[in-house]
Amino acid sequence: MISMRHKIICFGLSLLTGVLISSSVMAQNNLTIIGSLESVPVELDMSQLQAVLKGEQMRWQDGTKVKIALMKTNTPIGTVTSEKIYDMSGNELNKYFLALVFQGKVKAPAFFNSESELEAYVSQTPGAIGVVQSTSNDQINVVVIDGKKQI
Amino acid sequence: MKQQKNRLLYLFFIAGWLALSHQTLAQDTQIRGFANVDINIKNDQLNFGFGEWDLFITSDLNDKFSFLGETTFKYSPSAATEFGVTVERLIVNFNYKGNHSILVGKHHTPVTFWNDTYHHGRVFFPTVGKPLLFGAGIVPIHTTGIAFQGLTLGKLKWTYNLMIGNGIGSHEISDNDKFKSVTASTYIQPVNNLKVGASYYNDVISKGAEYKGGTAAEKFNQQLFTGSVSYFGNKFEVLAEGTFVNNNGDSTGVARSYATYVYTGVRLNENWIPYVRVDYLTYESGEAYFGNEDTFSFVGGIRYEITYLIVVKMEYQQFDREVSGHSKLVSAQIAIGF
């Protein structure tokens, strides 16, 4: 009887741990798009977002220059950003932008080590758009993508 | 009194220097570079050497204006120091609206995908060297002039480039004749990683004009028509370009030439890419401008991308020339970006 109770407790704990781990991994894979209060629209669809973050749109509707802010590709968020938004590895993303800069077609994104630095840059730079895991900064807008606050 | 005046002047210069350096810091300027070390076996002899050292500078001057400069340092036996410095690109870009810009300066002529994309960055080249149509002087690599450019427009990501320049035979600071070269190029990206493009180049080359490969013995009207397809995906890489040349000499008449190459690579994983490239050049008999010979070349090799800034390539190339005959080249290259 006791061993049965132990088995049930162990099973319950394993299940709970599994749920917690998977939800934590899922949370780590979630991304939030942030934009400066000026110029950056508060809503975009995924294809528009990809075009903007790939440097294919140079200016916003009001004429302000698009400035891209990303976490460095060797950070966990940078890796998720590369895969989820660009469909590339971190290495491929770096090569992609180096090639475009070399062709004179885009300006390189600003790359950051920490989300707080990235958020500070976006809040202080008109036209800046960036990718973080989550934010509570009221000096920036969260850009809704396909109706969702996180992608 | 004089000492006080000197102090004031000194303070003035310090203040000026501080103001200027602040402006320089505020300006977003980036300096990057590319270099390569080559090893080859030619005529049963092993050779080590280094290629171009490319210095690349970009700078945002203000919200609308930016600058791009590219300079190469390379071995030049005719130079006093045995090294030559060449300004490959010097472009002032005025982004006047959206994705539309006007660019003035020395450009890489946007006639082919390769010339418009890789420039002198060997780290980006899919093979060790350029396709043969560059070495044969088929494509006018540089143009000094003005360009009107639009990038990735609309759903098809349409790009256009209209360039008017000094043309073939001109120098860096002036034109050698009154004729201007005109380049019109366009491409679309209907799906991710695929580009389909075409370009047109027209120039009048005056008698006596110097160009890669010789001196014009007569006046030529030259037209180039180029088609390009490129796909660099996660598994496969394909790049195919063909240039049809129409050279109309004042006394020799029309002669047609054709140059093409097809590159294909398979990405085995993130690092290893085996590849092949086939080049073919053919000239109409009596062609007086290029003065070259029909050539077929096969390249087979493997590329190892350690990172996006360090790429090692090893390849075998075989040439079959109409007059010079058969030759081969085994080469390796370490190309870096920094």
Side-chain angles (χ1 to χ4, degrees):
Chain A
M1 188 66 185
I2 291 166
S3 73
M4 189 61 184
R5 189 182 293 164
H6 275 141
K7 277 180 188 170
I8 291 167
I9 290 168
C10 281
F11 177 74
L13 281 173
S14 308
L15 198 66
L16 187 66
T17 311
V19 168
L20 284 173
I21 288 172
S22 60
S23 63
S24 146
V25 169
M26 278 170 72
Q28 274 180 4
N29 283 338
N30 284 339
L31 298 172
T32 305
I33 309 302
I34 55 170
S36 66
L37 295 176
E38 296 170 54
S39 309
V40 181
V42 291
E43 207 166 335
L44 290 169
D45 63 40
M46 193 60 180
S47 60
Q48 287 173 317
L49 174 73
Q50 285 172 325
V52 168
L53 292 182
K54 280 185 169 180
E56 292 170 359
Q57 182 179 326
M58 292 161 82
R59 291 184 185 272
W60 297 111
Q61 284 286 346
D62 67 356
T64 306
K65 220 171 185 176
V66 173
K67 290 180 177 164
I68 305 164
L70 300 175
M71 292 295 292
K72 283 189 176 170
T73 53
N74 57 3
T75 62
I77 305 168
T79 307
V80 176
T81 304
S82 306
E83 287 167 0
K84 218 166 180 176
I85 296 175
Y86 293 90
D87 190 24
M88 295 178 194
S89 67
N91 195 51
E92 286 168 336
L93 181 64
N94 287 329
K95 185 181 177 182
Y96 171 81
F97 274 113
L98 181 62
L100 284 183
V101 170
F102 191 51
Q103 289 161 36
K105 286 175 180 158
V106 303
K107 184 184 178 311
F111 285 101
F112 296 90
N113 283 313
S114 74
E115 288 186 85
S116 57
E117 284 175 324
L118 193 154
E119 285 182 16
Y121 171 83
V122 171
S123 68
Q124 291 157 20
T125 312
I129 182 166
V131 186
V132 291
Q133 194 176 336
S134 60
T135 183
S136 54
N137 190 331
D138 58 2
Q139 298 302 303
I140 49 180
N141 277 332
V142 170
V143 183
V144 175
I145 308 298
D146 288 336
K148 293 175 191 161
K149 286 199 166 185
Q150 285 207 308
I151 54 170
Chain B
M1 186 67 185
K2 195 180 172 186
Q3 207 175 9
Q4 201 173 3
K5 198 177 167 185
N6 281 343
R7 270 186 200 160
L8 277 172
L9 267 174
Y10 179 71
L11 282 171
F12 175 76
F13 279 122
I14 291 281
W17 179 79
L18 282 171
L20 278 175
S21 59
H22 175 73
Q23 274 185 1
T24 312
L25 288 172
Q27 193 182 318
D28 189 359
T29 300
Q30 291 196 344
I31 302 174
R32 304 296 299 249
F34 301 96
N36 59 288
V37 179
D38 294 334
I39 304 164
N40 64 58
I41 301 171
K42 215 181 211 174
N43 302 326
D44 297 327
Q45 182 179 305
L46 177 66
N47 306 286
F48 296 95
F50 65 88
E52 295 171 328
W53 178 6
D54 188 283
L55 199 59
F56 176 67
I57 301 170
T58 54
S59 184
D60 276 1
L61 306 175
N62 69 11
D63 183 57
K64 300 269 185 189
F65 283 88
S66 61
F67 165 82
L68 184 157
E70 187 185 13
T71 310
T72 58
F73 306 83
K74 60 186 167 192
Y75 174 66
S76 172
S78 58
T81 58
E82 293 195 330
F83 281 92
V85 179
T86 314
V87 176
E88 300 290 345
R89 284 186 291 168
L90 195 158
I91 301 167
V92 177
N93 183 333
F94 172 51
N95 174 223
Y96 62 94
K97 191 184 176 191
N99 285 14
H100 303 270
S101 302
I102 298 172
L103 302 91
V104 187
K106 184 177 179 181
H107 315 256
H108 272 157
T109 319
V111 278
T112 61
F113 173 89
W114 191 292
N115 205 39
D116 193 35
T117 306
Y118 300 132
H119 307 280
H120 297 267
R122 293 292 195 282
V123 78
F124 299 118
F125 282 21
T127 52
V128 168
K130 294 177 181 179
L132 296 189
L133 64 91
F134 290 96
I138 304 280
V139 174
I141 294 171
H142 294 109
T143 296
T144 302
I146 185 167
F148 303 88
Q149 186 184 70
L151 300 170
T152 53
L153 306 166
K155 283 192 174 173
L156 284 175
K157 298 181 184 175
W158 176 55
T159 289
Y160 71 86
N161 222 315
L162 177 66
M163 188 177 284
I164 298 159
N166 285 340
I168 296 167
S170 63
H171 305 289
E172 307 292 22
I173 54 167
S174 63
D175 204 344
N176 65 318
D177 56 32
K178 63 180 181 177
F179 306 108
K180 294 285 164 277
S181 69
V182 176
T183 311
S185 73
T186 182
Y187 64 80
I188 53 169
Q189 298 176 71
V191 294
N192 261 351
N193 306 319
L194 174 69
K195 284 185 182 177
V196 182
S199 74
Y200 169 75
Y201 178 88
N202 183 63
D203 193 15
V204 175
I205 301 144
S206 296
K207 185 177 177 182
E210 288 179 3
Y211 59 93
K212 188 178 171 70
T215 304
E218 57 182 317
K219 190 171 123 185
F220 287 95
N221 188 334
Q222 185 177 77
Q223 293 171 313
L224 271 69
F225 303 87
T226 300
S228 307
V229 178
S230 73
Y231 177 80
F232 283 82
N234 294 332
K235 288 278 174 208
F236 298 102
E237 301 181 345
V238 178
L239 173 56
E241 300 201 89
T243 299
F244 176 79
V245 189
N246 205 4
N247 280 329
N248 191 352
D250 255 5
S251 54
T252 50
V254 177
R256 295 179 180 90
S257 308
Y258 181 66
T260 187
Y261 71 92
V262 179
Y263 158 89
T264 182
V266 179
R267 191 168 275 279
L268 299 179
N269 53 40
E270 197 170 338
N271 307 103
W272 290 99
I273 304 105
Y275 60 81
V276 292
R277 196 187 77 211
V278 174
D279 295 60
Y280 180 59
L281 310 176
T282 182
Y283 306 88
E284 192 171 326
S285 106
E287 211 302 319
Y289 180 82
F290 292 120
N292 221 318
E293 54 183 327
D294 287 7
T295 305
F296 175 83
S297 157
F298 168 82
V299 175
I302 190 156
R303 191 168 79 244
Y304 180 60
E305 296 182 353
I306 299 171
T307 73
Y308 73 107
L309 295 175
I310 313 165
V311 178
V312 179
K313 291 165 234 171
M314 285 165 282
E315 70 179 34
Y316 168 80
Q317 184 166 20
Q318 185 176 303
F319 301 88
D320 284 300
R321 295 192 167 96
E322 193 182 17
V323 182
S324 335
H326 179 85
S327 63
K328 60 190 177 189
L329 177 71
V330 177
S331 54
Q333 179 181 77
I334 303 168
I336 59 158
F338 54 90

